[in-house]
Amino acid sequence: MASKQRNQQPSAPAEDLKSKDLERSRARPQNEALRTNQGVKIADNQNTLRAGPRGPSLLEDFIMREKITHFDHERIPERIVHARGSAAHGVFQVYESMAEYTKAAFLQHPSLQTPVYVRFSTVQGPRGSADTVRDVRGFATKFYTSEGNYDLVGNNMPVFFIQDAIKFPDFVHAVKPEAPNEMPTGGSAHDTFWDFVSLVPEATHMVLWTMSDRAIPRSLRTMEGFGVHTFRFVNAKGVSRLVKLHWRPVLGSYSLLWDEAQKLAGKDPDFHRRDLWEAIERGDYPEFELGVQIIEEKDQDSFGFDLLDPTKLVPEEIVPVKIIGKMTLNRNPDNFFAETEQVAFHPGHVVPGIDFSNDPLLQGRLFSYTDTQISRLGGPNFHEIPINRPVSPNINNQRDGMHRQTINVGQASYEPNSVSDAWPKETDPAAKDGGFESYPEPMEGTKTRVRSESFADHFSQAALFYQSMSDVEQEHIALAYQFELGKVTKPEIRARVVNEILANFDAGLAATVAEGLGLPKPAKGARAAGKQQPSPALSLLNRGVPGIKTRKIAVLAAPGSDGAAIKSVQAALKSQGATPLLVSPTLAAIDGMNPDATISGMPSIMFDGVVVVGGAQGAKALAQSGDARHFVLEAFRHLKAIAATGAGKDVLSAAHLPEKGDGVFIGDDGKVEAVLKPFIEAMGQHRVWARREMAETVPA
Ligand code: HDE
């Protein structure tokens, strides 16, 4: 007889189970009296018990004391890294069976829907820091599979700063706000970060990624995700292959400009969180395809670098990314704290069919993640928090501990036992739905603290990444190094980055950055990497943007603007799946329509494109408004497509926008389709890159 376990879940399809599980834990008061935690109804929630109306408060007031005590303990330690995050529920479905490669149940059949919870995060900043800082983004996915939880705890960049877990505390201490003054919040532009990475050349490749546009994504919905480490897929016959995992956003991958990112950090610190939340509320469900690079064990030494080295990527021109399934994020959390704050990811949460490699960074992570939850979530029972519970039963003989929820029934808390017929029992891995069995990788070696020689090249892949960038992206990288190093106060650190890091992977970049910092032109690096075979897939500009779906477009108008033109512009943009918002100097109705936002509430940095509509009176008001002129100038400066219909063009003239600027389209109020067609095409390129030089002449 199985020992009874009251919190045991019945068996049912995975998705039903998860929602039932969460439903049971939800507190949704409807027609309910206010009560204490002990269930006593409360008659007065406004006044403390006191000795007379003007007298002292009484210690006896258990209602007030319980309330304040709970409040006093409402905060838990934030994550030591990745503290700032936003998350959503969704489902994952594989396109075709992956049985050839892995026995993981959730990858066996396209009809299977697996519930997921995904948390995106920045790394450096605290929980309340801004979303759009220059930083790596975490991309952590919990799959609630029928065989237990599988967590893919990745980032939006395919490599990492260090090669060995023992360096992680050093790296994190260096990048976090500095010890004496807790500055800066949410960024790496400070002495200790650059000091560390200038002394640790293995960081070079990843630092370059963080200086690229990848570190300032336009949206959490438009960034890629990567498992980083090499993992294993193991099939039912026990055959193992090495894999690299990728997430690809269906909307394409594109980024902010640095000036936008900085301004957004002040004007809307929740920019990414809001964007994710609103897209899901609108029904524009973010979709990500799962891709996998599959490498036969016998081929693992054929790359010229070590697959166990997490500072290296496998160019997809060499090993193509096979797209195997899709994740759709379709539900916002009900409660930020209960779900997003308490969710506990762990790269060691794997299911049969998925296994680890000996990447020394991954090996260290396998220890760290449970350990951190014990202090962050207050003990070893964090798996019982609703968001962390697997949908499969998790019955074992573990007992007790802080905050234990399960009431384990019966005598047996050990195995083997005869008192409950030895239940729960192990499952033979050979059986269908068998137990987890580690891949029997042959192993021998001498106990040592030596880093493999095969990890020694720190510059070739940095050169590969830089040489694979478009001109625009290379410019952005140079500006980012100049900006960040410009904030470093110690001249010797700046010089070390230029001479000992940059000069070793690109002489041109090193010279440009040196010039911006007023440093002499650097000599060729002693370990300079040469010309590499570029990987065009690494350039965001080669990724393409499929149309204007879900993109935010400001329809700029004022009372007196042409109502019919507003309606037809909005209809045309909505028909392409975009999100047009009516923006006006005030919230006063325009021809019976209420604006969605004011210019000061939603400046142009929050939009992807602008249409200024006609109507002489409205256009005149906008032309006279400094805020409206600034709006179009800033959109121009940030390389956004701009359209004007009818008298709307007067607003552009009043702002002194270059008349024949690239990506500026002018037409009649009566024929908005004609002007919107090229406008939509230009937006489909994300930005009007050809305007770069002209844009710099515009004051905004
Ligand atoms: Fe993490 N990391 N990490 N990390 N990491 C944490 O776990 C750690 C690394 C990543 O949304 C912590 O629950 C070590 C690489 C994400 O909740 C902590 C090492 C990658 C998240 C931790 C690494 C990541 C974390 C902090 C080097 C990309 C956020 C709170 C050996 C592949 C998950 C927590 C979420 C969080 C340790 C390196 C991704 C302290 C020791 C490489 C996305 O345990």
Side-chain angles (χ1 to χ4, degrees):
M1 270 273 297
S3 60
K4 276 189 228 150
Q5 188 146 353
R6 283 193 196 150
N7 286 0
Q8 181 180 338
Q9 294 103 353
S11 59
E15 196 180 4
D16 290 347
L17 265 173
K18 190 67 202 166
S19 18
K20 268 194 215 141
D21 196 25
L22 285 172
E23 194 54 54
R24 208 177 27 211
S25 320
R26 271 187 196 142
R28 196 193 293 274
Q30 265 162 353
N31 301 323
E32 294 278 0
L34 190 63
R35 292 172 190 262
T36 68
N37 287 337
Q38 302 305 320
V40 177
K41 286 186 184 161
I42 297 174
D44 184 343
N45 189 35
Q46 318 303 324
N47 301 295
T48 305
L49 189 67
R50 37 174 90 78
R54 301 184 60 249
S57 300
L58 299 180
L59 197 56
E60 172 193 322
D61 187 352
F62 65 93
I63 295 176
M64 179 275 237
R65 270 192 295 111
E66 181 196 80
K67 184 174 175 183
I68 300 275
T69 305
H70 193 276
F71 168 78
D72 288 345
H73 299 272
E74 274 176 9
R75 288 292 167 271
I76 60 171
E78 65 175 32
R79 289 166 174 81
I80 161 77
V81 281
H82 297 265
R84 168 81 185 170
S86 308
H89 292 273
V91 291
F92 175 78
Q93 244 169 318
V94 82
Y95 288 140
E96 58 186 73
S97 172
M98 292 299 289
E100 183 184 347
Y101 304 107
T102 171
K103 62 181 175 185
F106 78 109
L107 299 174
Q108 297 305 297
H109 204 280
S111 67
L112 254 177
Q113 277 204 342
T114 304
V116 296
Y117 195 64
V118 178
R119 183 174 181 274
F120 303 105
S121 47
T122 55
V123 176
Q124 196 262 17
R127 195 177 140 182
S129 57
D131 278 341
T132 58
V133 295
R134 178 177 293 284
D135 199 353
V136 187
R137 298 299 184 287
F139 190 140
T141 308
K142 191 179 282 296
F143 298 79
Y144 301 93
T145 91
S146 59
E147 296 178 308
N149 287 349
Y150 166 52
D151 293 354
L152 177 50
V153 197
N155 279 341
N156 74 331
M157 299 176 189
V159 289
F160 201 65
F161 296 97
I162 45 168
Q163 294 175 321
D164 189 309
I166 200 169
K167 296 308 295 168
F168 193 64
D170 297 300
F171 164 70
V172 173
H173 291 168
V175 71
K176 279 276 181 181
E178 296 199 6
N181 52 23
E182 187 97 341
M183 293 195 284
T185 300
S188 55
H190 60 112
D191 283 34
T192 56
F193 173 77
W194 287 99
D195 187 32
F196 180 79
V197 299
S198 66
L199 294 168
V200 178
E202 73 204 52
T204 303
H205 187 193
M206 177 65 163
V207 172
L208 179 58
W209 277 78
T210 62
M211 293 302 109
S212 81
D213 293 347
R214 302 270 183 163
I216 42 172
R218 160 67 181 83
S219 158
L220 301 172
R221 302 177 292 125
T222 63
M223 55 181 210
E224 295 184 301
F226 301 90
V228 177
H229 315 281
T230 301
F231 289 91
R232 279 200 159 80
F233 271 1
V234 184
N235 67 16
K237 291 186 188 131
V239 177
S240 154
R241 293 180 179 84
L242 299 168
V243 295
K244 291 271 188 188
L245 296 161
H246 300 240
W247 286 116
R248 290 274 158 86
V250 171
L251 289 175
S253 309
Y254 43 92
S255 291
L256 296 169
L257 294 177
W258 181 226
D259 187 52
E260 280 177 305
Q262 286 181 286
K263 288 175 174 168
L264 281 166
K267 298 237 178 185
D268 187 3
D270 306 311
F271 185 68
H272 284 153
R273 177 177 288 180
R274 191 183 311 285
D275 170 86
L276 178 68
W277 179 276
E278 288 181 350
I280 293 174
E281 292 299 299
R282 275 200 311 271
D284 283 332
Y285 298 143
E287 295 172 320
F288 295 87
E289 289 188 311
L290 183 64
V292 52
Q293 289 177 295
I294 304 175
I295 298 156
E296 300 292 333
E297 294 264 352
K298 68 175 170 41
D299 297 334
Q300 60 176 302
D301 298 326
S302 61
F303 295 95
F305 58 86
D306 199 325
L307 282 181
L308 302 185
D309 174 356
T311 66
K312 304 295 185 297
L313 56 86
V314 179
E316 58 187 272
E317 290 79 5
I318 298 175
V319 180
V321 176
K322 182 181 166 66
I323 299 297
I324 67 167
K326 189 166 77 178
M327 170 168 82
T328 307
L329 302 182
N330 56 16
R331 185 160 64 84
N332 277 316
D334 289 304
N335 184 294
F336 184 91
F337 180 83
E339 300 177 80
T340 307
E341 199 57 13
Q342 294 202 109
V343 65
F345 293 96
H346 184 0
H349 292 164
V350 290
V351 289
I354 300 180
D355 212 327
F356 314 116
S357 72
N358 297 327
D359 173 342
L361 194 68
L362 172 61
Q363 295 282 319
R365 292 180 76 200
L366 297 179
F367 158 71
S368 176
Y369 287 67
T370 302
D371 186 43
T372 207
Q373 311 308 346
I374 291 172
S375 67
R376 191 173 76 82
L377 297 171
N381 287 314
F382 57 87
H383 59 279
E384 294 187 321
I385 296 172
I387 195 68
N388 294 325
R389 281 187 215 154
V391 295
S392 53
N394 54 353
I395 300 166
N396 53 43
N397 293 317
Q398 292 167 28
R399 289 292 185 270
D400 310 345
M402 292 284 223
H403 316 301
R404 184 69 172 174
Q405 307 286 307
T406 306
I407 302 171
N408 296 98
V409 179
Q411 261 180 301
S413 57
Y414 53 92
E415 191 273 344
N417 68 65
S418 68
V419 291
S420 77
D421 218 6
W423 292 104
K425 288 182 186 170
E426 304 156 337
T427 319
D428 181 355
K432 191 173 180 307
D433 303 329
F436 184 88
E437 184 185 38
S438 293
Y439 174 68
E441 184 187 2
M443 208 60 64
E444 68 178 47
T446 313
K447 200 187 282 181
T448 174
R449 286 190 188 270
V450 167
R451 184 109 28 122
S452 168
E453 258 308 299
S454 55
F455 281 41
D457 171 10
H458 305 313
F459 298 117
S460 300
Q461 283 218 343
L464 162 78
F465 181 75
Y466 188 70
Q467 290 168 23
S468 304
M469 294 293 104
S470 60
D471 290 352
V472 176
E473 289 165 307
Q474 288 191 345
E475 267 173 39
H476 289 172
I477 288 171
L479 289 171
Y481 275 104
Q482 282 176 357
F483 176 92
E484 295 255 325
L485 292 169
K487 297 247 180 189
V488 168
T489 63
K490 293 197 169 53
E492 65 274 19
I493 298 179
R494 285 184 234 139
R496 203 186 305 133
V497 173
V498 170
N499 297 320
E500 287 169 46
I501 302 292
L502 303 187
N504 274 317
F505 73 86
D506 196 274
L509 175 67
T512 313
V513 175
E515 195 186 337
L517 298 173
L519 290 171
K521 192 169 174 214
K524 192 170 182 219
R527 296 153 76 187
K531 181 101 190 85
Q532 308 290 313
Q533 182 68 35
S535 167
L538 293 176
S539 163
L540 283 177
L541 264 57
N542 289 333
R543 283 264 178 247
V545 179
I548 63 167
K549 241 182 137 221
T550 84
R551 310 210 76 189
K552 262 195 186 149
I553 300 170
V555 179
L556 198 57
S561 292
D562 182 340
I566 295 174
K567 281 189 191 128
S568 46
V569 166
Q570 287 190 321
L573 295 174
K574 276 188 188 153
S575 73
Q576 302 278 321
T579 311
L581 295 182
L582 186 57
V583 184
S584 176
T586 70
L587 289 181
I590 305 173
D591 205 6
M593 284 172 278
N594 290 325
D596 298 296
T598 61
I599 292 178
S600 60
M602 279 197 83
S604 83
I605 45 174
M606 298 182 189
F607 292 95
D608 299 297
V610 188
V611 182
V612 192
V613 289
Q617 210 192 321
K620 192 171 169 203
L622 291 175
Q624 286 172 353
S625 150
D627 285 347
R629 293 202 302 271
H630 181 260
F631 194 99
V632 290
L633 278 172
E634 197 177 42
F636 188 88
R637 174 96 198 204
H638 291 150
L639 312 178
K640 288 167 185 168
I642 299 174
T645 67
K649 70 173 184 313
D650 299 344
V651 183
L652 308 190
S653 324
H656 302 295
L657 272 186
E659 282 206 350
K660 291 223 169 84
D662 285 292
V664 179
F665 308 99
I666 291 174
D668 292 339
D669 275 332
K671 296 183 190 156
V672 295
E673 298 283 350
V675 70
L676 286 186
K677 192 165 178 284
F679 169 81
I680 288 169
E681 265 164 36
M683 276 198 66
Q685 303 304 307
H686 180 42
R687 289 188 199 268
V688 185
W689 298 112
R691 193 199 286 158
R692 270 182 298 151
E693 262 180 42
M694 197 189 276
E696 274 166 33
T697 66
V698 162

